[in-house]
Structures are given as C-alpha cells and as structure tokens.
Amino acid sequence: PPPPPPHTPTPQHSSAASDVYKRQGFTVIGPNWDTRDISYLKRANDQGLKVAHKIADTAGTSLKLQKRLATPEGEAGIWREVEKRIKAVVDDPVYNDTVEVWLQGSEELSTRRFDGDLAYIQKFRDMIQLHDPKQRPLWMSEVTGVSASQMIDTHWCLEMVGPQMYLERIGKPGFNRHNAVINQLVCNVVKAATSLDAAYPLPHERPATVSFGALYEPIPERDSEAFIDKIVEHDLYLALNNGLQGFQVYSWHNYIREGVSDTTTWNWYKEAWSKHVKRLTDHDLDSAYLWGERRHDLRLDIVQGPERIQWEQGVVHHDYPSISMQNIQYGTRRYLILTNSSTEAVQVEVS
C-alpha cells in the first residue's frame, strides 16, 4: 500500500523509560504531568516516539482556576506561561519535531459546569494558532458519560474528540454493563466527531478517541489476569470496529502514590495493554483500521447464541449487537475482525 499519512496519535502516559513503550508498540507517549522539565522530549525523540505534550500546570478542571481567571492580572499570568511553554518547544528543533499533540492542562472542561470553560478552551486554541507554525492539534480529555451533543458543545474549537472511560467501574454486574457503556461511549464520540466535521469543517477529519482510564482496584469476585486481558482485548477491538481512531491508556504511573497498596491488578492491566497494542502495530492492524477501505461484500449471520445484548440502566434501555464486525481491504490484504460482546460463546457464519 502507499505510505500512510502521519500516524493518528495513540497517546499514553510517559516516563523516562520511553524505549519500553516503543518496544510495546505505542506510537505516542504523554502527557508527563510535571511540565517543568521538558528534557523527556529529547529521550522520546531518541526512541522514535512522538509526544502529547501538556503546556500548562493546571491539572484538573478550570474550577481550580477561577480565582486566577477572575482577575486580569491572574489570567494574563496564565497565558504568559502558556506562550512561554509553546515557544520552548517551537524554538528547539528536537522538541519541535517530537511534539505531536498539545494538551491544554486542564481537563474535563464543560459549559455544563463553569461558564468560563469554553472561553478558556478557545483561548488555548488562539494561543496555538498564534505561536505554533505547525498548528498542531489541541486535545482535551472529556468527562465520563458525556453525550454526543455535550461533546459538540465543548469540542467545536478542538481538532480531536475524546472522552474518558474509567474501567474500575466494571465490578458487578460485570460484562453486560461494561460492554453497554463501551458501546454507548464509542458511538457517542464517533457521532460527535462526524457532526463536528459537518458543522465546523477542518482541513482534516477530527479523530475520534477515547481515554481508557486506569484499572488499579481489584474487580470484585472476578479479579484475574485472564479476565483483565479479555476486557482489554474486547474494548480495544470493539472500539476500533465501531470507528475509534485513537486511544489513550491512562495511567502508567505507580498507583502506590495514590494510596493503593497492592498493584497486582494495575500490573495485569498494564501488561494486557502492552500485549494487545504490540499485536495491533506488529501486524499493521493499526494502519488497516486507519487507512484501509471498508468493504461491504461479506454477510454475518448468528447461527447459535444471542444476536443482541440488552441491559437496563435505570430508565435507559441499552440494546446493541452481540457481535461487531469490521471488513477491511488494505493493500493486498483483507482483514476480518469480529468481537463478541456477550457473556457466552456465539457461533457465526460469514458468507
């Protein structure tokens, strides 16, 4: 096949051991929450990795910034610092070559929580347009459970669309609830990205992304390495089959610092993502999903097992197919990827 365009970002939390992530198949690392030392950009560049780089120390929501934003002097100080950090990257050839995506620092910004959030996002976009000759995309992690219409409200001035999905909420009742949430989330983000491209077109389509939240607390009655491996594999391919174009794996830092005494679950989760991301990139599946031709010349029939999965969430009724299928032509190869979202074996016939 012809050489693909620049890789759609697959951001993931960084550390000094950048070479580990490269070997595991990740293409982008970051953000590094401590933005004072940006020498990690050099280490990432040495390993052939790109970086999603945070340009403000305002972790959390802008609710924490209201006191500074409330005064002209405080707000001006925020933007002076942002300008300084953008220029620190742009003016260094190595750093400039390494940064793929800007992260604004504050996350989960929403017009539903604070009226100043949208203006804050727009100002970040303006600063990048003014000081970054490459006009790199700006990404923000949206709150979990956000609807497509809510994402449209806050992402119209961003170049990437991406909410969060916190996996520690699997627990009981297990797969059915979890899979319903994943299906709904991915459908919402793809719908939002498509709607934004139609209403606020950019030179390129907005990538639909999801930030898969850290899994560090034991899953009641189901905690095992095999179960977590199955969850990760299912979520990855279900999301890609339904139109996701990039994903962030959050978080790679050691959760002992968060008061978690046993990191067994976290280690299983980390190893599972490493395994499946490496398989995705080693076999060109990432390129096939991003740039392959979707074909519609195969038919899927359920021979035995549930055809659809249903789950009640209060007054909300979830109903979705038990099997997702993606049929892709990429170069001389044909890829057929099936994902089973039910809790039992499903026998299928493809013709």
Side-chain angles (χ1 to χ4, degrees):
H7 204 294
T8 295
T10 309
Q12 175 260 316
H13 276 265
S14 65
S15 83
S18 303
D19 59 318
V20 174
Y21 304 129
K22 181 70 172 180
R23 292 197 304 270
Q24 290 170 341
F26 289 96
T27 58
V28 179
I29 63 171
N32 189 355
W33 291 115
D34 184 357
T35 60
R36 291 168 296 182
D37 177 14
I38 62 173
S39 62
Y40 80 99
L41 295 175
K42 173 65 166 58
R43 296 193 295 272
N45 185 275
D46 290 342
Q47 301 299 331
L49 285 162
K50 299 298 184 181
V51 171
H53 184 56
K54 187 161 71 79
I55 48 176
D57 275 327
T58 51
T61 72
S62 66
L63 292 171
K64 298 179 180 180
L65 297 175
Q66 287 193 54
K67 289 183 178 180
R68 292 182 67 185
L69 291 170
T71 65
E73 297 81 7
E75 184 175 0
I78 291 175
W79 301 123
R80 280 196 302 269
E81 185 64 22
V82 169
E83 177 183 350
K84 176 182 175 182
R85 294 183 183 215
I86 294 174
K87 289 184 174 181
V89 170
V90 170
D91 293 343
D92 185 289
V94 174
Y95 295 168
N96 194 40
D97 180 59
T98 306
V99 172
E100 182 100 341
V101 179
W102 299 112
L103 283 90
Q104 60 193 27
S106 291
E107 56 192 12
E108 300 184 10
L109 303 190
S110 167
T111 55
R112 305 176 303 281
R113 303 169 74 174
F114 176 45
D115 289 341
D117 276 0
L118 186 57
Y120 185 72
I121 298 170
Q122 287 178 269
K123 181 65 174 180
F124 258 99
R125 177 69 263 163
D126 294 342
M127 296 294 286
I128 291 168
Q129 289 179 339
L130 185 63
H131 300 295
D132 179 18
K134 289 188 175 183
Q135 298 295 290
R136 278 161 280 213
L138 178 64
W139 182 80
M140 180 189 73
S141 178
E142 252 282 17
V143 65
T144 301
V146 67
S147 68
S149 61
Q150 290 168 339
M151 275 185 274
I152 291 170
D153 288 342
T154 50
H155 281 74
W156 65 268
C157 57
L158 300 175
E159 291 87 356
M160 300 172 67
V161 182
Q164 303 167 357
M165 169 61 191
Y166 282 103
L167 298 183
E168 70 267 20
R169 297 176 181 176
I170 296 172
K172 295 178 180 179
F175 253 145
N176 278 356
R177 176 190 182 279
H178 172 75
N179 293 351
V181 173
I182 286 286
N183 268 277
Q184 182 182 48
L185 178 69
V186 174
C187 289
N188 281 345
V189 70
V190 171
K191 180 180 178 182
T194 303
S195 300
L196 285 165
D197 286 339
Y200 307 99
L202 296 173
H204 59 82
E205 293 182 354
R206 289 172 174 83
T209 69
V210 168
S211 176
F212 288 101
L215 179 62
Y216 54 88
E217 296 177 355
I219 304 170
E221 300 178 2
R222 308 195 70 171
D223 199 36
S224 72
E225 187 172 8
F227 178 70
I228 291 172
D229 183 87
K230 187 187 295 283
I231 285 279
V232 168
E233 182 180 35
H234 168 271
D235 293 354
L236 173 61
Y237 287 100
L238 176 68
L240 292 171
N241 275 1
N242 288 341
L244 199 75
Q245 295 166 294
F247 53 90
Q248 178 191 49
V249 185
Y250 177 100
S251 167
W252 240 235
H253 85 275
N254 193 328
Y255 268 93
I256 289 177
R257 293 185 298 179
E258 304 295 330
V260 177
S261 58
D262 185 355
T263 59
T264 302
T265 302
W266 175 75
N267 285 325
W268 286 340
Y269 180 67
K270 177 181 177 180
E271 292 303 316
W273 269 108
S274 301
K275 167 186 169 182
H276 293 295
V277 166
K278 184 168 177 57
R279 185 173 71 174
L280 188 73
T281 53
D282 279 356
H283 297 281
D284 277 342
L285 277 167
D286 57 339
S287 297
Y289 271 115
L290 289 171
W291 303 297
E293 176 192 357
R294 267 52 175 182
R295 301 291 294 270
H296 305 282
D297 54 356
L298 294 177
R299 173 178 170 174
L300 174 71
D301 292 304
I302 306 293
V303 176
Q304 185 175 342
E307 293 188 8
R308 302 192 69 80
I309 303 299
Q310 298 185 359
W311 182 69
E312 306 295 334
Q313 183 183 14
V315 297
V316 180
H317 176 70
H318 296 273
D319 185 306
Y320 53 94
S322 61
I323 303 294
S324 70
M325 181 177 81
Q326 195 56 258
N327 173 17
I328 304 173
Q329 179 79 38
Y330 184 60
T332 59
R333 296 181 179 180
R334 177 68 71 93
Y335 294 87
L336 179 64
I337 305 103
L338 305 177
T339 304
N340 179 11
S341 292
S342 75
T343 55
E344 56 190 280
V346 178
Q347 184 179 345
V348 304
E349 184 179 88
V350 178
S351 59

